[in-house]
Amino acid sequence: MDTTLRDGEQTSGVSFMPHEKLLICRALLESLHVDRVEVASARVSDGELEAVQRITRWAASKDMLDRVEVLGFVDDGRSLEWIERAGARTINLLCKGSRRHCEGQLGKSINEHIADIRRNVELAASKGIAVNVYLEDWSGGMKAATADTPDDYVFCLLDALIDLRGIRRIMLPDTLGILNPLETLDYMRQMVKRYPDVHFDFHAHNDYDLAVSNVLAAVLGGARGLHTAINGLGERAGNAPLASVQAILKDHFNAKTNINEEQLNRVAHMVESYSGIAIPPNKPITGSAVFTQVAGVHADGDNKDGLYQNALRPERFGRRREYALGKSSGKANVRMNLQELGLDLSDEDMKKVTDRIIELGDKKEQVTQEDLPYIIRDVLKHSDEDEHVRLLSYMVSTAYGLRPMAQVRLQIGDQIYEESAQGDGQYDAFVRAVRHIYRDRLGLKFPWLSNYSVIIPPGGRTDALVQTTIEWVYEEHSMPTRQKPPSKPQSNC
């Protein structure tokens, strides 16, 4: 079960719009083929109600409504009424899985809590709403039981609920992320041994960076359902990331799931865009750098017999392997990139180009495959080619109450063109002016800005190396371009 739209939205600073929730839900169910999705918490807001209504209408039209779940509370049916109004048919009922939470937060005894739960489950059954029971702080409840101070709270609670009609699954969350894999394995085995016919889900949190390990331990212990989130989003340190769990289950346990691995990267970046939480470059499976070989010896080994590759082939995830260009590059890295560009160099020229790339890397400059033709021209003194496009001059202006304006003069070939435009910002106005020249004056296509990032080292030093990377899409081909850092220090202004 994927909980990106519920627990994932509890990531600090994350809030999905109703249409974004629908698009993500469709991607999870239709593209990734997850079995179930938890899409919201009941009674949160009017916007949340609208989002769930959109999702349930779509899910019903696709015969997927039974795969959509909503978190609800033991509140005398108020959550059930909300869920019914939203059009959902499954409640994940949040109960207290530890004596400490039951008595400390609710101020009730276990018997009082059991009575409340039973009333809500029976009410759900009368409305035709299926129930999955969350035992919040289940891990804390299990850890409270030791040889010296036995605490049967969890077992007493389940003994009283297990026979109730309408309960499909018991969800066992490590709410505070306090378990290690050995404890997870032990506790899950205890649950399965005592209740062999019950479907148990496991819900991990990553506070100790053990979420994925605990998920795998839960599987070994007999868990039949797993809760994950795209990019590991979730409360505090987050949940177990779906991509990592899928890869490990398949490669290390030969487990079969319905997940479409080729869609993992696409959906991860879709959620990155909507959530505003960037995927770290070294994030397994979906990070920008995880299929990039840096050391020259690795590229050499790959070129000879794939010696530095494992079962995590990028093609599985709709990606490709890359070979970084920088201070650690060898000739093999350069050669692999040149092969993709259809270029070939002599050994002597290859050494010159490699030395220049290493020199740039020592200066902390990023070098990409797209830079290679220009580096080759510079190093090998191929200066007979003039720049095809030159920015001769530009002026941008902004004023209170008026849209920003830009005036641009370009030389393209032997001709000089000048154009002006307004935009939503100064940069937008500048690009619109250039686009007018290309599209309106020359009848040419213009690349589309798809993404950008600005890297500013911390500390506020005036000699800080600031780099801007802008990614363009032209005829379905992605092209990253960068602002070259100044040769002399400039002020932060």
Side-chain angles (χ1 to χ4, degrees), residues 85-122:
R85 196 160 67 250
R89 306 307 301 163
T90 302
I91 182 174
N92 293 339
L93 189 61
L94 192 67
C95 309
K96 297 303 181 182
S98 70
R99 189 182 304 275
R100 181 167 173 262
H101 274 227
C102 179
E103 296 176 355
Q105 190 168 40
L106 299 182
K108 294 188 176 184
S109 68
I110 183 173
N111 290 329
E112 290 173 322
H113 190 37
I114 289 172
D116 292 341
I117 297 170
R118 292 184 71 94
R119 280 197 302 273
N120 278 268
V121 173
E122 291 167 357

Side-chain angles (χ1 to χ4, degrees), residues 184-393:
T184 303
L185 178 62
D186 179 30
Y187 297 158
M188 188 60 67
R189 283 177 172 171
Q190 289 185 44
M191 302 299 292
V192 172
K193 181 178 180 180
R194 188 176 179 104
Y195 309 102
D197 298 326
V198 174
H199 180 119
F200 288 114
D201 281 7
F202 180 69
H203 180 110
H205 273 272
N206 203 37
D207 295 72
Y208 283 95
D209 209 14
L210 290 172
V212 173
S213 299
N214 286 335
V215 163
L216 300 176
V219 172
L220 292 176
R224 294 166 60 187
L226 302 174
H227 296 190
T228 61
I230 301 297
N231 301 335
L233 293 180
E235 189 89 18
R236 303 183 313 278
N239 293 270
L242 172 59
S244 297
V245 171
Q246 164 62 23
I248 296 173
L249 284 176
K250 180 176 181 179
D251 294 355
H252 291 270
F253 292 87
N254 297 317
K256 294 182 180 180
T257 71
N258 293 323
I259 298 300
N260 180 1
E261 292 186 337
E262 289 187 356
Q263 293 294 320
L264 283 169
N265 188 61
R266 183 186 73 82
V267 177
H269 286 273
M270 174 185 184
V271 172
E272 175 189 43
S273 175
Y274 291 151
S275 68
I277 304 297
I279 300 173
N282 62 342
K283 184 80 169 175
I285 314 301
T286 58
S288 60
V290 295
F291 295 117
T292 300
Q293 302 281 38
V294 175
V297 65
H298 293 173
D300 180 65
D302 281 353
N303 192 39
K304 290 175 178 175
D305 194 21
L307 299 178
Y308 289 90
Q309 299 177 14
N310 57 25
L312 292 173
R313 299 297 176 96
E315 293 77 15
R316 280 174 58 181
F317 312 105
R319 304 186 61 184
R320 65 183 182 87
R321 194 171 303 281
E322 298 179 2
Y323 295 88
L325 298 168
K327 63 189 296 183
S328 298
S329 297
K331 287 188 292 184
N333 290 58
V334 178
R335 196 176 299 280
M336 296 288 271
N337 281 277
L338 289 175
Q339 286 175 358
E340 288 201 22
L341 293 173
L343 300 176
D344 191 21
L345 295 177
S346 66
D347 289 343
E348 182 181 354
D349 289 344
M350 181 74 72
K351 184 179 185 307
K352 293 178 181 178
V353 171
T354 302
D355 289 344
R356 174 59 63 86
I357 290 171
I358 293 172
E359 176 188 344
L360 292 170
D362 276 333
K363 296 177 180 178
K364 298 185 71 171
E365 283 206 44
Q366 296 178 350
V367 181
T368 68
Q369 188 180 92
E370 288 76 11
D371 295 322
L372 271 177
Y374 305 100
I375 293 174
I376 292 170
R377 187 179 72 174
D378 181 50
V379 170
L380 303 184
K381 307 303 181 186
H382 294 166
S383 57
D384 53 324
E385 297 181 34
D386 293 329
E387 292 183 49
H388 182 61
V389 180
R390 295 182 63 199
L391 175 62
L392 299 179
S393 181

Side-chain angles (χ1 to χ4, degrees), residues 50-183:
E50 179 190 347
V52 180
Q53 287 173 334
R54 289 191 184 192
I55 289 171
T56 55
R57 283 196 298 268
W58 170 82
S61 72
K62 298 291 184 177
D63 197 26
M64 294 183 180
L65 191 55
D66 62 331
R67 297 166 64 181
V68 175
E69 303 172 5
V70 178
L71 179 75
F73 309 95
V74 181
D75 53 11
D76 291 323
R78 283 175 290 173
S79 289
L80 288 167
E81 292 174 3
W82 192 96
I83 290 170
E84 193 173 35
R85 196 160 67 250
R89 306 307 301 163
T90 302
I91 182 174
N92 293 339
L93 189 61
L94 192 67
C95 309
K96 297 303 181 182
S98 70
R99 189 182 304 275
R100 181 167 173 262
H101 274 227
C102 179
E103 296 176 355
Q105 190 168 40
L106 299 182
K108 294 188 176 184
S109 68
I110 183 173
N111 290 329
E112 290 173 322
H113 190 37
I114 289 172
D116 292 341
I117 297 170
R118 292 184 71 94
R119 280 197 302 273
N120 278 268
V121 173
E122 291 167 357
L123 182 58
S126 71
K127 292 177 176 291
I129 295 177
V131 178
N132 300 319
V133 172
Y134 258 124
L135 299 187
E136 187 181 25
D137 195 39
W138 165 78
S139 51
M142 295 299 288
K143 285 175 77 76
T146 66
D148 298 327
T149 57
D151 188 340
D152 291 333
Y153 175 91
V154 173
F155 297 135
C156 289
L157 184 67
L158 282 185
D159 287 346
L161 301 177
I162 215 70
D163 64 329
L164 280 179
R165 180 173 63 92
I167 294 180
R168 291 182 176 177
R169 301 176 179 87
I170 303 296
M171 300 171 165
L172 307 177
D174 181 16
T175 304
L176 301 179
I178 58 177
L179 294 182
N180 64 52
L182 295 178
E183 291 171 322

Side-chain angles (χ1 to χ4, degrees), residues 392-450:
L392 299 179
S393 181
Y394 71 92
M395 179 185 71
V396 292
S397 63
T398 185
Y400 178 75
L402 298 175
R403 296 185 73 197
M405 177 172 284
Q407 189 168 355
V408 176
R409 179 180 291 175
L410 290 182
Q411 179 177 334
I412 302 177
D414 296 329
Q415 299 295 316
I416 295 177
Y417 301 89
E418 188 171 317
E419 190 63 76
S420 61
Q422 292 180 321
D424 295 330
Q426 292 176 331
Y427 179 78
D428 183 52
F430 175 89
V431 172
R432 284 173 182 266
V434 175
R435 187 181 293 122
H436 286 330
I437 294 174
Y438 269 76
R439 186 183 61 194
D440 302 336
R441 304 278 291 277
L442 300 175
L444 299 174
K445 292 183 179 179
F446 192 76
W448 187 260
L449 174 65
S450 62

